[in-house]
Amino acid sequence: MSNKSNTYKFSRRSMIFSASAASFLAPNICVASKTKVLDFSKQSDRFKAIVKMRACTDERVVYGGVKGLYYGVVDSQITPLYGVLAGTMAQYKVNYDAQKIIGTTFEVAYFTDWKTGRLLETFRNPYTDSVVEVPQTRMGPSKITFSVEGRSGISENPELKNFSISHRFVGPRNENGQVYLVTESIVKTPEDFPGPPFKYNEVTTYKAHMRSITDTSTVMVNDSTHFNAVVSWRPWLKMQGHPGHLFGTASGGNYNKISDFPSYYVELTKFYHPDVFSDTEALLSTVKE
């Protein structure tokens, strides 16, 4: 049996000290736990978040990647087709006075088997039952320029010469300390394009904590990246004239180093594109000013 007189015995002096200590420490505890919050009604604060969530505050190489799936969509019905494993490498320069981000980017992507996740070299199209060869995607390096609104005009990517591009940032928005930044991109062939028309629509959501964005020691922040795309049939599928389109969904993030990529992506890239990881900075520097 416990001795209540011992359990609850406090001296008047100890009680006064405890009360005084609590009143002294409480304000400091509140201050220490308070997170600085950006005001996204201000353009300057929106730009600060965009820099860290979409680019980087210094000029180091930034890596990013997603892993996901592509479906065919015909008459509003989806059909599983193949997987995607994609990565980007980029460097950015930030002009805070002009609120501009100037970057150089490079992308390598692979289409993979839906079930095994391994690289596809050929693919049996379920719509036509024909077997087609599957290419790899290697794009860039190319220059991009962002403002706090986004970017638009003619694509500066050599592989998308004369394609028009429309891009905007939606947000960022703060949800209880979690910040979301959405990017919308529309790339399409011009009216006078000699080949089949092609449209690529992408909506990507970046997520990060407010405390990471306002932390002066961080140069970039990204808890996750989620990608969705609505795309015309890719030419290699040989679906010209067939109604429908592609729908892609994938997730991933930004990485500090090459080993943060999925290991299979690193394996494929070192084998098929050894120059990409051997000296990424040199590769990015080859873009013309």
Side-chain angles (χ1 to χ4, degrees):
M1 177 180 288
S2 63
N3 187 331
K4 290 186 178 181
S5 62
N6 289 333
T7 304
Y8 297 102
K9 187 175 180 180
F10 295 96
S11 69
R12 176 179 174 80
R13 181 178 179 184
S14 65
M15 291 177 69
I16 293 173
F17 174 78
S18 298
S20 299
S23 64
F24 175 76
L25 292 173
N28 293 290
I29 293 171
C30 292
V31 170
S33 62
K34 187 176 181 180
T35 299
K36 182 180 178 182
V37 177
L38 297 176
D39 180 359
F40 292 140
S41 67
K42 298 178 180 177
Q43 181 169 304
S44 59
D45 279 5
R46 294 199 303 274
F47 185 71
K48 290 176 183 177
I50 289 169
V51 168
K52 285 196 175 182
M53 295 181 73
R54 185 60 185 82
C56 186
T57 60
D58 62 19
E59 296 181 26
R60 71 185 63 193
V61 175
V62 177
Y63 302 101
V66 293
K67 181 179 181 179
L69 303 167
Y70 266 97
Y71 297 81
V73 184
V74 176
D75 293 331
S76 300
Q77 181 173 325
I78 60 173
T79 297
L81 296 181
Y82 48 79
V84 62
L85 192 56
T88 59
M89 306 87 207
Q91 282 184 300
Y92 300 96
K93 294 181 180 179
V94 181
N95 185 327
Y96 287 95
D97 293 332
Q99 293 194 341
K100 297 283 186 181
I101 303 169
I102 300 173
T104 305
T105 66
F106 190 86
E107 178 182 359
V108 175
Y110 308 96
F111 298 114
T112 58
D113 183 84
W114 179 278
K115 293 181 179 180
T116 67
R118 309 306 288 180
L119 179 69
L120 278 178
E121 295 183 342
T122 60
F123 172 69
R124 182 174 292 279
N125 187 331
Y127 294 109
T128 63
D129 200 39
S130 61
V131 176
V132 296
E133 293 185 0
V134 182
Q136 297 174 16
T137 299
R138 176 176 172 133
M139 299 179 66
S142 59
K143 292 187 69 66
I144 56 172
T145 303
F146 294 115
S147 70
V148 73
E149 289 82 20
R151 63 188 177 112
S152 61
I154 300 298
S155 174
E156 296 176 271
N157 190 313
E159 285 76 18
L160 299 176
K161 187 177 180 180
N162 297 326
F163 280 44
S164 65
I165 180 168
S166 175
H167 170 280
R168 68 168 180 155
F169 292 115
V170 182
R173 72 179 194 273
N174 179 15
E175 301 286 352
N176 298 318
Q178 186 71 66
V179 179
Y180 297 86
L181 175 67
V182 177
T183 66
E184 295 177 357
S185 299
I186 302 172
V187 181
K188 59 183 180 180
T189 51
E191 296 296 331
D192 59 350
F193 189 71
F198 183 81
K199 293 182 181 179
Y200 178 91
N201 305 270
E202 177 184 314
V203 178
T204 301
T205 302
Y206 302 88
K207 184 172 72 171
H209 284 284
M210 177 68 77
R211 63 175 178 269
S212 299
I213 298 172
T214 58
D215 186 344
T216 56
S217 67
T218 62
V219 298
M220 65 176 184
V221 294
N222 179 261
D223 293 333
S224 67
T225 299
H226 189 78
F227 154 95
N228 288 305
V230 175
V231 189
S232 302
W233 297 121
R234 293 186 181 275
W236 57 266
L237 285 169
K238 298 182 179 179
M239 291 281 282
Q240 187 173 357
H242 197 292
H245 58 269
L246 297 168
F247 168 71
T249 181
S251 58
N254 286 348
Y255 310 132
N256 290 307
K257 54 188 184 298
I258 293 169
S259 59
D260 291 336
F261 279 101
S263 58
Y264 189 49
Y265 181 85
V266 177
E267 178 187 334
L268 289 174
T269 303
K270 286 185 174 181
F271 182 79
Y272 289 102
H273 308 278
D275 59 318
V276 172
F277 287 153
S278 62
D279 194 341
T280 307
E281 193 165 353
L283 178 65
L284 292 170
S285 70
T286 60
V287 68
K288 295 180 180 179
E289 295 291 338

